Amino acid sequence: KAGVTQTPRYLIKTRGQQVTLSCSPISGHRSVSWYQQTPGQGLQFLFEYFSETQRNKGNFPGRFSGRQFSNSRSEMNVSTLELGDSALYLCASSLAGRGQVNTEAFFGQGTRLTVV
Amino acid sequence: SQQGEEDPQALSIQEGENATMNCSYKTSINNLQWYRQNSGRGLVHLILIRSNEREKHSGRLRVTLDTSKKSSSLLITASRAADTASYFCATEYYNQGGKLIFGQGTELSVKP
């Protein structure tokens, strides 16, 4: 079974630009979540999607957005990039569904975003 | 901050020794999970312990959960150099399935 795939693996963008990251979950997983990892703030939850609906959202500004498609693939977008957005962005998929908890999350290798 | 706390922040041991990491969290949880991360790469799931469980084993890993103290510990027995990595605890809070709150992590170094 293929794991969680994130593309691209590395990205360099200029301040003020926008960026779109992609995540393909494990087949059969309908929950996709996104995390930002930085040396200063650690791993922080961005948002989670299930069946094309955002179920949970972290404390990030509106510049961070996401969506999920009918095949469960997900994208996240960051607009008006700032230097502080430089981070490793991780995507995870799981079987967590409506009323279903206690499921492990499987993570992709991440996208390393550098904003210059 | 919602993040849990882990200690120690860094741990250096010799091969063959045991490593213990601790994690504390804040409110009622569905479960607590431990992950490993090598050199800023993706996270690898190690073990999940549910809120009604007190101890769980997986190979050389032993996890305990004390919900009265809102704390958990991860024990790695007979450490190997390949265990060198960062270890994170993550909690899935009650009624928030699919959302994990991570601790700051423990950086483990196992010297051959």
Side-chain angles (χ1 to χ4, degrees), chain A residues 35 37 43 88 102 105 109, chain B residues 3 30-31 37 40 92 100:
Chain A
Y35 297 83
Q37 185 177 28
L43 278 154
L88 179 67
N102 294 321
Q109 291 298 300
Chain B
Q3 286 183 310
N30 292 323
N31 62 70
Q37 185 178 43
E92 182 181 83
L100 295 175

Side-chain angles (χ1 to χ4, degrees), chain B:
Chain B
S1 166
Q2 282 188 292
Q3 286 183 310
E5 295 179 8
E6 289 186 58
D7 75 270
Q9 288 189 347
L11 181 60
S12 182
I13 59 175
Q14 297 293 132
E15 253 188 342
E17 294 180 337
N18 295 341
T20 300
M21 293 158 246
N22 303 295
C23 168
S24 61
Y25 57 92
K26 297 188 176 174
T27 63
S28 297
I29 59 173
N30 292 323
N31 62 70
L32 186 143
Q33 305 179 36
W34 286 91
Y35 288 84
R36 184 185 75 224
Q37 185 178 43
N38 290 86
S39 301
R41 300 182 67 185
L43 295 161
V44 174
H45 185 270
L46 296 175
I47 199 162
L48 180 154
I49 186 165
R50 302 182 183 199
S51 60
N52 61 354
E53 297 175 316
R54 292 296 167 259
E55 188 170 310
K56 207 159 181 183
H57 297 254
S58 177
R60 294 182 296 113
L61 307 180
R62 175 179 156 242
V63 168
T64 60
L65 178 66
D66 186 334
T67 52
S68 66
K69 294 181 180 176
K70 294 187 172 56
S71 67
S72 173
S73 67
L74 169 67
L75 168 68
I76 304 175
T77 59
S79 296
R80 305 165 182 167
D83 294 328
T84 294
S86 293
Y87 291 82
F88 295 90
C89 69
T91 46
E92 182 181 83
Y93 283 107
Y94 182 69
N95 265 348
Q96 293 191 28
K99 173 181 177 180
L100 295 175
I101 302 299
F102 283 86
Q104 293 285 14
T106 294
E107 204 170 309
L108 173 66
S109 174
V110 182
K111 301 187 187 312

Side-chain angles (χ1 to χ4, degrees), chain A residues 13-35:
Chain A
K13 289 285 189 180
T14 304
R15 265 183 306 175
Q17 287 187 313
Q18 77 164 17
V19 67
T20 299
L21 311 182
S22 181
C23 173
S24 293
I26 291 172
S27 178
H29 287 191
R30 294 165 67 189
S31 169
V32 174
S33 50
W34 289 88
Y35 297 83

